[in-house]
Amino acid sequence: MATKKLRRARLSQELCERLSRHQITTCQDFLCLSLLELMKVTGQSYYDVQKLLCKVSRACAPKMQTAYEMKLKKSVSPSSAFLSTTLHSLDKVLHGGVPCGSLTEITSPPGCGKTQFCIMMSVLATLPVSMGGLDGAVIYIDTESAFSAERLIEIAGNRFPAYFDSDEKLFCMTRSVHLYRDLTCGSVLKRIMSLEEEVISKKVKLIIIDSVASVVRKEFDTKLQGNLAERSNFLARGASMLKYLAEEFSIPVILTNQITTSLSNSPAIQADLVSPADDLSLSE
Amino acid sequence: MQRDVGGLPLAPALRARLVAAGFQTAQELLETGPCGLSKEIGISKEEALEALQVVRQACQGHAARTAGGPDTTRNCTALELLEEEQAQGFIITFCSALDNILGGGVQLTKITEICGAPGVGKTQLCMQLAVDVQIPECFGGVAGEAVFIDTEGSFMVDRVVDIAAACVQHCQLIAQAQQEEDHLKALETFSLESILSHIYYFRCRDYIELLAQVYLLPDFLSEHSKVRLVVVDGIAFPFRHDFEDLSLRTRLLNGLAQQLIIIANDHKSAVVLTNQMTTRIGQSQSMLVPALGESWGHAATVRLILHWDNSQSLMVSEMCSFQLSLKMQKILKRTLANGHGEKRKSNSDSKVEC
């Protein structure tokens, strides 16, 4: 929206040409200038510039919804609001399961079973809706090379023996789990940015990133100057893209994180290493 | 009428030509008339007429202001202001300790900023306020509508449904206990559907959409004149990352703050912003301070900083329990506009369980 060209914001042709001579071509450039600068650049009076500002703002502003409309939209398809984890106590606490349309973070000390949980959720997402799944493909971004296809088949065969009764069904399920091994921050970010088209073309219904913390920890040593800012930058960009995907397509996104110890005046506590959703970066 | 030509809101090129031709005051321009002006400056008669209309409009507005008209600035005594402020309602938060600290609740015509670590409850508080602003006047509310501008995507409709249902139930209990005519009448229109329909939600994904929305807000508020609360949930989020030019950021934030102040005053509504916390690394130790820098600290009239009392994060167990009674202990401190790291302690220090 910000990069929308002024032409498409219904400004007149000659005004657009005049502005492009000052290197102002997108709505972003236009809205970042103050009123006086705009008057100088467009050569128009104060009141006209205000009207222009409203016009350009209308081109980029978001649409209004009332909370009631949002509720109605959700209640139209209640079953698709959550992906049930089939673990009853977890589902009870989460009020139904992993919510669609938002990011969910799984965090724990090592060895608790985060990767296993992710593999299980991949199986669940490929199941048909009648069995509590989402009947879609899964994108699994693996940064630790911990994904095992054998384990995937083992879980599927043992949990749903009635459904996966033939090899054919198992292979069909594995074909819908798309695995990407990205071992550096840069490649993970590039992958996330390119996900939009994949989600549409492959009819993806679940995105899993396992794990964000390991790749960030490998590359960013927060004791070095400037690394903290770069790390938060990377996390924020990834997080906002993932949020956009989750909301736009109404799919769940699962991220895994690691635990570190935060040393401060109070006794040492265990806390999340990186917090992609909010920016409170804790030091190790 | 004695207004200087250089200060008129005309196009800069035109203004430069007028000054070069020797015009000094607006009065001179109006006396010359459009034909004379067009001959002297070398512009067409239509352009000259347009320019004179702009000048006339500007001078009328100016005259109205200096004569003490109801336009933008007013002269009044402090007593009148006091009476006005006392007669104004507050938006209660349903947490009595918080309301006590704030002096009754969130004040109208002022900007309130809520800062805190992630997960402490800022968005929950905003959602609560969006429901509480709609409480009818006979129950002690301001009977207004709410605009919710979300930049982080943490608005949960189901949660708002829970809060609204609890609020309606609360009012019903009061009405039953007191059995007054107007209470029952107000309850007819105060229902779950009406509460949800009067929360206007905007989802802004980056700072440009936020700026655009705030530019359009005055028009929106003139159409929906009953709005008494504007919430911007996450004013820090779009500005904190990927912003190389810090001076541009400061300028944009200041512009935003100015516009929000104007909106709060002109439309008699409360503006609530939420901010994140960042770590400021000092010489010997580092501490958590509100984000966006010190110049942003001047934007808000009231700044609430929320902390966790225990060093343990109670997030997981508290997921389902934020409603009218908060089970976790919080230390709520109130600081005024220029409060930041050093000035966190204020006189109303209270450890509360509300």
Side-chain angles (χ1 to χ4, degrees):
Chain A
M1 276 291 116
T3 52
K4 197 167 181 177
K5 297 275 187 219
L6 288 171
R7 263 179 282 118
R8 292 194 286 129
R10 312 259 181 90
L11 292 185
S12 69
Q13 184 68 9
E14 47 155 315
L15 192 57
C16 290
E17 278 170 16
R18 191 180 169 144
L19 289 171
S20 59
R21 260 177 272 144
H22 295 267
Q23 271 97 44
I24 302 171
T25 46
T26 63
C27 292
Q28 182 169 359
D29 304 328
F30 194 89
L31 288 174
C32 282
L33 298 175
S34 68
L35 274 172
L36 286 178
E37 286 171 342
L38 281 175
M39 279 172 70
K40 199 168 72 165
V41 159
T42 59
Q44 298 194 359
S45 73
Y46 185 73
Y47 304 111
D48 287 336
V49 163
Q50 279 188 322
K51 283 195 216 131
L52 272 180
L53 211 56
C54 278
K55 215 174 183 183
V56 173
S57 302
R58 243 182 293 269
C60 348
K63 220 179 55 141
M64 193 264 293
Q65 292 177 312
T66 62
Y68 190 52
E69 286 164 15
M70 290 168 71
K71 174 166 169 276
L72 285 180
K73 244 195 280 184
K74 268 201 153 182
S75 57
V76 159
S77 44
S79 58
S80 66
F82 291 101
L83 171 59
S84 158
T85 61
T86 66
L87 301 168
H88 292 292
S89 25
L90 186 58
D91 278 345
K92 214 169 83 172
V93 173
L94 293 176
H95 289 269
V98 174
C100 292
S102 55
L103 273 61
T104 307
E105 184 185 354
I106 317 269
T107 187
S108 73
C112 278
K114 302 187 288 291
T115 307
Q116 299 301 312
F117 182 79
C118 291
I119 297 180
M120 186 181 76
M121 294 306 287
S122 327
V123 173
L124 290 176
T126 55
L127 292 178
V129 181
S130 51
M131 290 182 67
L134 295 174
D135 195 22
V138 177
I139 286 187
Y140 196 109
I141 301 180
D142 186 11
T143 63
E144 295 175 320
S145 306
F147 185 87
S148 152
E150 285 233 17
R151 183 70 188 135
L152 182 71
I153 299 186
E154 211 181 330
I155 292 180
N158 280 319
R159 296 245 19 230
F160 305 100
Y163 181 72
F164 291 109
D165 47 7
S166 65
D167 280 346
E168 179 61 44
K169 286 237 178 88
L170 280 173
F171 292 150
C172 189
M173 186 265 293
T174 52
R175 258 197 293 267
S176 7
V177 177
H178 303 277
L179 179 70
Y180 298 101
R181 284 220 168 91
D182 291 304
L183 301 170
T184 64
C185 280
S187 59
V188 168
L189 194 58
K190 231 169 83 175
R191 178 75 57 199
I192 295 177
M193 295 298 169
S194 69
L195 277 182
E196 189 172 355
E197 296 182 5
E198 309 246 347
V199 170
I200 300 178
S201 62
K202 298 192 174 120
K203 298 207 194 3
V204 171
K205 288 284 193 272
L206 172 65
I207 301 178
I208 299 181
I209 305 191
D210 177 28
S211 70
V212 174
S214 69
V215 70
V216 165
R217 219 168 176 172
K218 266 192 291 188
E219 292 194 18
F220 291 106
D221 180 3
T222 49
K223 294 193 198 68
L224 295 178
Q225 273 277 13
N227 266 9
L228 199 54
E230 255 197 70
R231 184 177 95 157
S232 345
N233 235 335
F234 160 73
L235 287 173
R237 284 170 68 194
S240 48
M241 187 59 187
L242 288 171
K243 272 196 212 191
Y244 166 70
L245 288 172
E247 284 175 14
E248 187 67 31
F249 298 104
S250 288
I251 54 177
V253 175
I254 300 182
L255 310 159
T256 57
N257 203 346
Q258 290 169 359
I259 292 274
T260 184
T261 319
S262 160
L263 299 165
S264 57
N265 296 337
S266 45
I269 55 166
Q270 305 228 294
D272 296 328
L273 172 65
V274 293
S275 259
D278 306 301
D279 185 3
L280 184 62
S281 352
L282 299 169
S283 47
E284 298 177 72
Chain B
M1 278 299 151
Q2 292 307 309
R3 234 180 117 168
D4 186 36
V5 164
L8 291 170
L10 295 167
L14 183 57
R15 223 174 28 212
R17 284 161 110 169
L18 287 171
V19 169
F23 285 101
Q24 282 186 336
T25 64
Q27 178 73 10
E28 280 184 58
L29 282 180
L30 291 173
E31 278 173 0
T32 318
C35 296
L37 205 59
S38 73
K39 278 195 209 109
E40 275 206 50
I41 307 291
I43 52 179
S44 73
K45 294 201 183 69
E46 289 81 12
E47 283 175 10
L49 183 61
E50 250 185 69
L52 283 181
Q53 280 170 347
V54 169
V55 170
R56 203 164 282 135
Q57 193 184 24
C59 288
Q60 272 171 1
H62 188 77
R65 275 200 294 272
T66 49
D71 226 3
T72 37
T73 57
R74 335 180 294 243
N75 305 322
C76 54
T77 63
L79 180 62
E80 288 168 24
L81 263 183
L82 177 65
E83 287 171 356
E84 215 179 276
E85 278 183 16
Q86 281 179 339
Q88 234 161 50
F90 292 94
I91 306 177
I92 58 172
T93 62
F94 270 119
C95 175
S96 51
L98 189 52
D99 284 339
N100 277 336
I101 287 186
L102 291 172
V106 171
Q107 254 187 313
L108 298 182
T109 75
K110 303 272 188 285
I111 301 190
T112 307
E113 187 180 344
I114 306 176
C115 317
V120 78
K122 309 184 287 287
T123 307
Q124 296 290 319
L125 190 53
C126 291
M127 297 197 291
Q128 180 79 54
L129 288 171
V131 171
D132 291 344
V133 73
Q134 305 190 37
I135 297 177
E137 279 165 359
C138 51
F139 292 106
V142 294
E145 302 173 353
V147 166
F148 199 105
I149 301 179
D150 188 4
T151 59
E152 294 174 341
S154 37
F155 183 80
M156 291 182 281
V157 190
D158 302 311
R159 185 65 194 144
V160 178
V161 167
D162 287 343
I163 296 177
C167 191
V168 170
Q169 204 186 30
H170 187 91
C171 291
Q172 277 170 345
L173 288 175
I174 297 181
Q176 269 173 13
Q178 299 192 343
Q179 288 290 338
E180 276 180 41
E181 182 63 49
D182 45 356
H183 282 187
L184 297 166
K185 222 169 68 166
L187 269 182
E188 284 167 28
T189 45
F190 188 60
S191 67
L192 192 57
E193 284 80 32
S194 85
I195 297 181
L196 290 178
S197 331
H198 293 308
I199 299 180
Y200 305 110
Y201 178 78
F202 298 89
R203 173 77 168 97
C204 295
R205 289 185 205 284
D206 53 29
Y207 72 95
I208 292 293
E209 289 190 16
L210 180 61
L211 283 176
Q213 188 53 48
V214 175
Y215 278 130
L216 294 177
L217 213 45
D219 289 331
F220 184 84
L221 292 182
S222 335
E223 285 168 32
H224 298 87
S225 55
K226 286 189 74 188
V227 171
R228 288 282 169 273
L229 172 69
V230 174
V231 176
V232 181
D233 185 14
I235 194 126
F237 186 64
F239 285 102
R240 287 193 69 196
H241 305 287
D242 247 1
F243 231 107
E244 300 92 21
D245 188 0
L246 280 182
S247 57
L248 174 67
R249 184 180 97 164
T250 314
R251 181 152 64 77
L252 292 177
L253 280 173
N254 282 336
L256 254 184
Q258 290 281 53
Q259 282 165 318
L260 290 172
I261 293 175
I262 293 177
I263 287 173
N265 272 317
D266 284 350
H267 299 271
K268 272 205 169 22
S269 44
V271 174
V272 174
L273 313 168
T274 57
N275 199 353
Q276 293 170 352
M277 301 293 268
T278 185
T279 321
R280 183 197 292 171
I281 303 175
Q283 278 111 349
S284 50
Q285 26 107 356
S286 58
M287 50 190 180
L288 281 180
V289 296
L292 293 184
E294 306 198 351
S295 51
W296 176 252
H298 300 285
T301 317
V302 174
R303 195 178 230 187
L304 267 180
I305 301 184
L306 304 174
H307 302 258
W308 294 107
D309 182 18
N310 312 326
S311 37
Q312 289 254 329
S313 162
L314 299 174
M315 264 189 292
V316 173
S317 56
E318 294 309 323
M319 243 187 72
C320 331
S321 66
F322 184 101
Q323 241 197 22
L324 301 179
S325 61
L326 294 168
K327 290 195 199 113
M328 51 195 151
Q329 289 201 341
K330 293 187 197 173
I331 301 181
L332 301 171
K333 299 181 182 175
R334 168 187 176 170
T335 59
L336 296 174
N338 51 356
H340 52 85
E342 294 91 54
K343 286 198 193 162
R344 263 206 241 138
K345 297 212 186 299
S346 78
N347 18 357
S348 52
D349 224 11
S350 51
K351 198 168 178 165
V352 291
E353 181 150 27
C354 42

